[in-house]
Amino acid sequence: MAEGLLPEAFPLEPGPARVLVVEDEPKLAALLADYLRAAGHEPECVADGRDALQAWTARRHDLVLLDLMLPGMDGLSLCRELRALTGVPIVMLTARADEADRLAGLELGADDYIPKTPFSPREVMARVKAVLRRSRAATRPSTPPLHIDAQAWRAAWQGRALDLTPNEFRLLATLASQPGRVYPRSQLLELLQGDARAATERAVDSHVKNLRRKLDQAGAGSECIRSVYGIGYSYDA
Ligand code: CA
């Protein structure tokens, strides 16, 4: 790090984490464990859902890397059971073709997904790092720039009031309730009311576009709502 620059100018390195790897293919599990160890993390590998639940309950890892295709309890059921217990970050590994699975996983509360074909351990590590950084930032006490008062239906960016329609407010409040989490369009569509276009997911895009413009005008930048191609949106402040 160059001298004279504030550390705050750099993204915080998430540091070592205990990662539960749920993967039944031994070679892939070993590869993931090697990469995690090389990045300074502490992996624990289990091959099925029941072992995963036992391991997590006993040791409460910092992150779960979860393959969707598992013997016995499948990855989606495991994701649902874990979510009933904990807000631990869950990163799913999925085959690219299984878009339905990907959406289902995100709807069940997974934080991110990574396609398995082509499989890139580097991408896995990049996502693990990003998800850890987000989850640790979320637990760090700080004054968030975005203030949402759900009772008064008011939102402000660094004290500047945002003039939002009710639909824009619902979208922003939902996205910002879990920063970094990707919300599928289908789920966001359910928030829209009194909009004739709400029969299609295009309506979500149109409201997000307006929301971004208003956030940008308030000084938040237009990038704080991130598009996840083919899936939906997340709030990344
Ligand atoms: Ca598998």
Side-chain angles (χ1 to χ4, degrees):
M1 189 183 295
E3 273 184 23
L5 288 173
L6 292 172
E8 283 78 5
F10 294 85
L12 288 168
E13 285 302 312
R18 290 168 311 121
V19 180
L20 182 61
V21 178
V22 192
E23 168 60 79
D24 59 307
E25 294 159 60
K27 278 187 182 163
L28 199 45
L31 182 67
L32 288 166
D34 283 349
Y35 269 83
L36 286 164
R37 259 184 236 107
H41 301 308
E42 205 184 300
E44 174 178 356
C45 298
V46 293
D48 69 53
R50 249 160 267 291
D51 285 352
L53 281 174
Q54 270 175 14
W56 192 86
T57 309
R59 287 178 286 287
R60 303 189 170 252
H61 307 76
D62 302 308
L63 183 136
V64 179
L65 206 50
L66 171 61
D67 182 28
L68 272 189
M69 298 290 285
L70 293 168
M73 186 191 298
D74 68 274
L76 287 178
S77 306
L78 177 58
C79 185
R80 188 185 297 119
E81 296 218 5
L82 274 171
R83 265 296 160 266
L85 293 172
T86 165
V88 67
I90 300 174
V91 176
M92 293 187 312
L93 297 167
T94 73
R96 190 180 282 281
D98 297 341
E99 183 151 339
D101 280 351
R102 238 163 30 180
L103 284 167
L106 291 170
E107 278 163 2
L108 286 175
D111 293 81
D112 210 341
Y113 68 89
I114 301 169
K116 273 179 100 171
T117 46
F119 184 68
S120 161
R122 277 174 202 282
E123 187 181 358
V124 176
M125 298 316 296
R127 299 293 185 90
V128 162
K129 192 168 158 183
V131 168
L132 281 173
R133 188 184 291 143
R134 284 194 319 239
S135 77
R136 287 177 181 179
T139 53
R140 213 170 21 242
S142 65
T143 310
L146 179 68
H147 179 75
I148 290 181
D149 183 342
Q151 250 103 56
W153 284 74
R154 272 200 288 259
W157 181 267
Q158 288 184 334
R160 288 184 68 174
L162 297 165
D163 183 19
L164 304 180
T165 65
N167 281 332
E168 289 162 3
F169 182 87
R170 283 189 205 98
L171 285 172
L172 182 60
T174 299
L175 290 169
S177 68
Q178 286 190 58
R181 174 168 166 194
V182 181
Y183 285 87
R185 272 192 188 74
S186 55
Q187 207 172 329
L188 296 172
L189 186 61
E190 290 169 11
L191 300 169
L192 302 183
Q193 293 173 11
D195 183 337
R197 296 166 305 168
T200 77
E201 295 180 3
R202 287 279 173 93
V204 175
D205 299 337
S206 147
H207 287 291
V208 166
K209 190 176 161 204
N210 292 332
L211 189 50
R212 278 183 171 144
R213 182 172 43 77
K214 291 177 181 181
L215 282 162
D216 195 23
Q217 283 166 357
S222 56
E223 299 302 306
C224 67
I225 296 178
R226 175 173 68 110
S227 300
V228 181
Y229 185 75
I231 302 287
Y233 295 98
S234 76
Y235 171 78
D236 288 9

